[in-house]
Amino acid sequence: MTLRPEEWAALTLSLKVSIWATLVALPLAVGVAWLLARREFPGKAWLSALVHLPLVMPPVVTGYLLLLTFGRQGPIGGFLEQFGLVFAFRWTGAALAAGVMGFPLMVRAIRLAFEAVDPKLEAAAETLGAGRLHVFALVTLPLIAPGILAGVVLGFAKAMGEFGATITFVANIPGETRTLPTAIYTWLQVPGGETAAMRLLILSVIVAVGAVLISEWLARRVARGIGRA
């Protein structure tokens, strides 16, 4: 299948948005997952509810809240604009929306991985004189690597398919915020655009299947690396 220029533009923008959304959200997801899995503190239930809110809230509502908060007139968006960082109606906003929607899935996968680690292994390493940072980097992190990988794949897949929050926050601007889902939506609004929409749909399926296959390959390599396979 030979891609047309507009299809290439939607595909490359989707990949760009999804990769940035996943990379920026990953460190925060690891930190939040560690807090929820390993620490007891006042407001833990509220933090968990806040993290998972995008999963249960309509995406359009999430997009509108992002527009109110990170728009040029919003409290955070107006502040960041002074430093040249603009989100509203830009691809950076699409990445932000995609990251917010995929964040709960990343946290959930990584939190389960943290909870599956036997604390005795970390305690044993500490009794041998290793500091907490070294224990985390050399013991905990390798053991939760499959969970992190699963979180990355889930977050990336969610970012690739994100539509509601994205179109509400950054609209549907060709070459700037028109990702694969919004491009499919656009063609479906045009009489006779079903064929073009179907081409993009097939392209989306190919990318999704490719991401899953790559993650499976990486998961096997990680599992062999830590002696689980």
Side-chain angles (χ1 to χ4, degrees):
M1 183 171 67
T2 303
L3 297 181
R4 300 165 181 162
E6 63 271 20
E7 293 170 340
W8 265 116
L11 173 62
T12 54
L13 181 61
S14 288
L15 291 173
K16 179 181 177 182
V17 164
S18 302
I19 289 172
W20 272 104
T22 305
L23 289 179
V24 173
L26 181 59
L28 185 58
V30 172
V32 172
W34 178 83
L35 272 178
L36 294 175
R38 295 298 182 84
R39 288 291 182 266
E40 295 295 333
F41 54 89
K44 180 178 177 178
W46 284 101
L47 176 61
S48 179
L50 182 64
V51 167
H52 292 91
L53 200 56
L55 284 181
V56 296
M57 202 161 56
V60 172
V61 176
T62 302
Y64 187 56
L65 289 175
L66 288 173
L67 185 60
L68 292 177
T69 307
F70 290 92
R72 289 187 165 181
Q73 304 300 320
I76 299 178
F79 173 75
L80 293 177
E81 189 172 354
Q82 302 175 46
F83 304 98
L85 188 56
V86 178
F87 288 104
F89 309 110
R90 300 284 180 84
W91 75 267
T92 49
L96 176 62
V100 168
M101 296 302 293
F103 189 71
L105 299 174
M106 298 179 72
V107 170
R108 189 166 185 80
I110 298 170
R111 179 181 178 178
L112 290 174
F114 270 120
E115 292 174 345
V117 173
D118 187 352
K120 294 178 181 176
L121 295 173
E122 296 165 311
E126 289 183 7
T127 60
L128 295 175
R132 288 188 176 181
L133 190 59
H134 281 86
V135 171
F136 181 82
L138 300 178
V139 178
T140 309
L141 204 54
L143 290 175
I144 67 168
I148 292 178
L149 186 58
V152 167
V153 173
L154 288 172
F156 179 82
K158 181 64 177 175
M160 284 292 295
E162 166 50 30
F163 173 76
T166 300
I167 200 168
T168 306
F169 184 31
V170 298
N172 183 8
I173 305 171
E176 182 66 34
T177 63
R178 181 172 290 175
T179 57
L180 282 175
T182 52
I184 292 173
Y185 172 78
T186 301
W187 279 113
L188 289 176
Q189 305 306 305
V190 177
E194 292 83 1
T195 302
M198 181 57 68
R199 287 171 58 88
L200 293 176
L201 188 150
I202 293 172
L203 187 59
S204 299
V205 171
I206 291 173
V207 172
V209 171
V212 172
L213 291 177
I214 291 172
S215 71
E216 290 290 332
W217 177 73
L218 288 174
R220 285 197 296 271
R221 288 185 63 88
V222 170
R224 279 198 295 268
I226 62 177
R228 288 185 179 179

